[in-house]
Amino acid sequence: MSAEPMSTDAAAVAEKAAADPASGSTTRPRAAGGGRGGKGGKEARGLKGGESRTLNAFSHGFLVLWVIMAAGPLVWVALTAFRPTADYLGDPMGLPTSLHWENFVNAWTEAKVGRYALNSVIILAGSLTGTMLLGSMAAYVIARFTFPGNRFIFLLFAGGMMFPVILALIPLFTIMDNLSLLDTRPGLIIAYIAYSLPFTTFFLTSFFRTLPSGVQEAAMIDGASHTRTFFQVMLPMAKPGLVSIGIFNFLGQWNQYLLPLLLNNDDENNYVLPQGLAALTVSQGYAGDWGALFAGLTLAMVPVLVVYAVFQRQVQAGLTAGAIK
């Protein structure tokens, strides 16, 4: 007879606990949409997805705008190189109606672009070789050997990158004049090497420090000299970094204008390509051969684009390999 009142009391207690928030009971009903798969979770994921799509659209739009700003002038110059001068003066922004290859012939012969390009290639062959050789040797010694003044020498090279080249023009001109190196190819090669050496050494020092030392120690144990270890062991291991800094030096020295204008301004036949194109632009006026001028600019851009297109993967690998241990 006592079982029925007890079950009634238990039911009352359970009902009270479920209705009382402070009772601490775990049988309270879950709020609608409060779980991970509820309506609130779906709304949060939808909001994050919308923000992600907006960010992607903004970033892609910015990249498209950047490509137009960077590649637009290059495409315009290349297209104008195939137009005759009369069409260009009548409609500067128009498209070529036919391909006038004569512009490139005139640029190469009559405008002396061929001679200017040959001068640039000769000077670049000497300056780029000297920059890479001296820079890699200095960087290897600073990175792999400990000696008094090591840190100081490294900071000197780093400080050379912060020194504006325009402040050294007058002393550089005086030194080259005293050494009888003005208006000579060796003088310009030496100036290019001095201009590019600080950044080359700074970059390759950081790269050589990331290379494993076990291979170098094994070569020394086998009896290899320091010279043989450097040229046959360490340089092949540093190929990604050498290619990367070589591309940067090629671009900088190929497009160099200030140093040739200062040190190589006597004979027009010795002009390098940027210097010759600038002189050609000044001499064009309003009655010049603009088709040949734009053809010369196109010919000056082609080596840079080809080199970067061929070595693009090596440049990216070199930049990332030097930052990861």
Side-chain angles (χ1 to χ4, degrees):
M1 294 179 61
S2 61
E4 183 177 355
M6 288 180 62
S7 61
T8 304
D9 294 341
V13 171
E15 183 179 359
K16 181 179 180 181
D20 188 5
S23 63
S25 174
T26 58
T27 60
R28 286 179 294 178
R30 180 178 295 178
R36 292 185 178 180
K39 183 178 179 181
K42 292 181 179 179
E43 291 179 352
R45 288 196 299 270
L47 182 59
K48 292 181 180 179
E51 293 178 353
S52 178
R53 287 191 295 269
T54 302
L55 182 60
N56 289 336
F58 176 77
S59 60
H60 283 78
F62 178 78
L63 290 176
V64 171
L65 179 62
W66 180 261
V67 168
I68 294 175
M69 294 175 61
L74 303 181
V75 174
W76 176 74
V77 169
L79 292 177
T80 308
F82 293 97
R83 303 178 62 193
T85 301
D87 290 351
Y88 168 74
L89 295 178
D91 184 12
M93 302 304 296
L95 297 176
T97 56
S98 60
L99 301 181
H100 288 262
W101 294 99
E102 298 84 2
N103 293 336
F104 291 89
V105 177
N106 295 334
W108 191 262
T109 56
E110 297 180 6
K112 299 181 181 180
V113 173
R115 180 184 296 273
Y116 301 150
L118 179 61
N119 293 335
S120 293
V121 169
I122 294 175
I123 293 174
L124 194 66
S127 62
L128 189 59
T129 303
T131 300
M132 297 304 299
L133 179 62
L134 296 178
S136 59
M137 294 173 66
Y140 172 71
V141 172
I142 294 174
R144 311 299 294 191
F145 294 92
T146 302
F147 55 90
N150 180 300
R151 185 67 176 173
F152 177 73
I153 296 176
F154 176 74
L155 292 177
L156 282 180
F157 280 107
M161 300 190 313
M162 308 174 190
F163 192 80
V165 66
I166 193 172
L167 297 181
L169 293 183
I170 295 178
L172 180 61
F173 181 86
T174 303
I175 293 174
M176 290 296 179
D177 189 18
N178 294 334
L179 297 176
S180 300
L181 292 176
L182 286 178
D183 302 306
T184 62
R185 289 173 177 172
L188 203 55
I189 290 174
I190 294 174
Y192 278 14
I193 294 175
Y195 172 79
S196 305
L197 199 58
F199 178 69
T200 302
T201 305
F202 178 82
F203 181 89
L204 290 179
T205 298
S206 302
F207 193 88
F208 274 117
R209 286 173 178 170
T210 63
L211 299 180
S213 59
V215 180
Q216 177 187 2
E217 295 173 356
M220 299 297 292
I221 293 175
D222 289 340
S225 63
H226 291 294
T227 303
R228 185 176 181 182
T229 302
F230 172 70
F231 283 103
Q232 296 187 2
V233 177
M234 302 305 294
L235 272 187
M237 295 175 60
K239 182 180 177 181
L242 293 174
V243 172
S244 299
I245 195 63
I247 296 299
F248 283 111
N249 285 328
F250 173 82
L251 297 178
Q253 295 177 9
W254 179 265
N255 296 321
Q256 182 60 243
Y257 174 73
L258 185 59
L259 291 178
L261 183 64
L262 175 72
L263 305 176
N264 189 38
N265 202 25
D266 186 24
D267 188 2
E268 184 179 353
N269 292 324
N270 294 329
Y271 283 0
V272 296
L273 190 55
Q275 189 179 9
L277 290 175
L280 182 62
T281 304
V282 174
S283 64
Q284 291 296 306
Y286 291 97
D289 190 355
W290 289 95
L293 175 61
F294 284 104
L297 294 176
T298 304
L299 292 174
M301 294 188 301
V302 168
V304 176
L305 298 177
V306 170
V307 168
Y308 185 78
V310 172
F311 296 101
Q312 181 180 5
R313 293 183 180 274
Q314 288 81 351
V315 170
Q316 295 175 355
L319 293 177
T320 55
I324 300 176
K325 289 189 177 181

